[in-house]
């Protein structure tokens, strides 16, 4: 798997955060685990707050798509074929971002029964990386959809 620069930076950040936590609380592995799990859950909670925005943008863009003919009558230079393609692509990106969150939530398992501290920390570090990518994806597509919606208002 080829890592993008963004993924490399996130991995590096998670690595540094883990080292920092280890340096601060090396005597208490349970505290390190709790802190990392809290960071994962905090990111999840932050993303969940954006899920409503994601759905609102999807509704707005679908409405714009349905009314392209009306928009064309107001702006005769509007290329409705190009506009529809751009709007459809953005709705697809919104759906992919939503699916990314649903997949992460479905796969996240906070039951660590029978796992060592090292296994738990590796799992949580991986989950932090994944939820950070989901967060970035959702926020980026919301920003993109906001700019597209603004064009048609």
């Amino acid at each position: 798997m080829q890592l993008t620069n963004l993924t490399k930076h996130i991995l590096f950040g998670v690595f540094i955060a883990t080292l920092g936590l280890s340096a601060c609380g090396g005597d208490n592995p349970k505290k390190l685990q709790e802190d990392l799990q809290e960071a994962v859950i905090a990111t999840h909670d932050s993303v969940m707050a954006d899920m409503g925005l994601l759905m609102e943008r999807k509704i707005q863009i679908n409405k714009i798509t349905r009314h392209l003919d009306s928009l064309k009558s107001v702006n005769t230079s509007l290329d409705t074929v190009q506009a529809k393609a751009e709007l459809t692509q953005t709705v697809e990106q919104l759906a992919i971002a939503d699916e990314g969150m649903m997949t992460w939530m479905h796969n996240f398992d906070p039951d660590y029964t029978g796992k060592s501290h090292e296994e738990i920390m590796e799992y949580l570090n991986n989950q932090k990386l994944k939820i950070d990518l989901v967060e970035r994806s959702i926020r980026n597509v919301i920003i993109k959809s906001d700019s597209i919606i603004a064009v048609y208002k």
Side-chain angles (χ1 to χ4, degrees):
M1 178 174 100
Q2 187 176 9
L3 297 177
T4 65
N5 282 339
L6 175 62
T7 304
K8 289 177 187 175
H9 287 290
I10 291 172
L11 280 172
F12 182 72
V14 169
F15 176 73
I16 294 299
T18 302
L19 282 178
L21 288 173
S22 296
C24 295
D27 296 323
N28 190 347
K30 186 72 173 168
K31 175 80 169 114
L32 291 174
Q33 177 184 322
E34 289 170 358
D35 289 347
L36 185 52
Q37 181 161 335
E38 285 177 19
V40 170
I41 298 304
T43 303
H44 161 269
D45 293 347
S46 173
V47 174
M48 284 304 295
D50 289 337
M51 294 303 287
L53 293 174
L54 197 78
M55 291 303 113
E56 286 175 24
R57 297 319 182 266
K58 192 174 179 180
I59 290 167
Q60 290 174 317
I61 290 175
N62 283 329
K63 184 178 178 182
I64 292 167
T65 303
R66 285 191 309 273
H67 294 97
L68 279 175
D69 290 340
S70 301
L71 294 170
K72 175 77 173 176
S73 66
V74 173
N75 177 4
T76 57
S77 66
L78 178 64
D79 180 350
T80 56
V81 172
Q82 187 270 334
K84 184 173 183 174
E86 180 180 47
L87 293 164
T88 301
Q89 178 187 33
T90 304
V91 168
E92 289 170 2
Q93 290 170 345
L94 288 161
I96 290 168
D98 179 56
E99 182 60 30
M101 181 60 171
M102 295 303 118
T103 299
W104 182 86
M105 288 190 310
H106 177 76
N107 292 328
F108 181 71
D109 183 8
D111 181 9
Y112 313 126
T113 305
K115 294 182 181 173
S116 70
H117 173 71
E118 290 76 22
E119 291 171 320
I120 295 168
M121 292 300 287
E122 180 180 352
Y123 176 75
L124 288 172
N125 276 316
N126 287 333
Q127 292 304 306
K128 180 68 173 129
L129 174 63
K130 289 176 182 179
I131 194 63
D132 285 347
L133 290 173
V134 168
E135 177 184 44
R136 192 164 277 105
S137 171
I138 287 173
R139 296 221 168 120
N140 286 341
V141 76
I142 288 172
I143 290 167
K144 178 182 179 183
S145 62
D146 284 346
S147 66
I148 290 171
I149 290 166
V151 169
Y152 298 99
K153 284 197 169 193

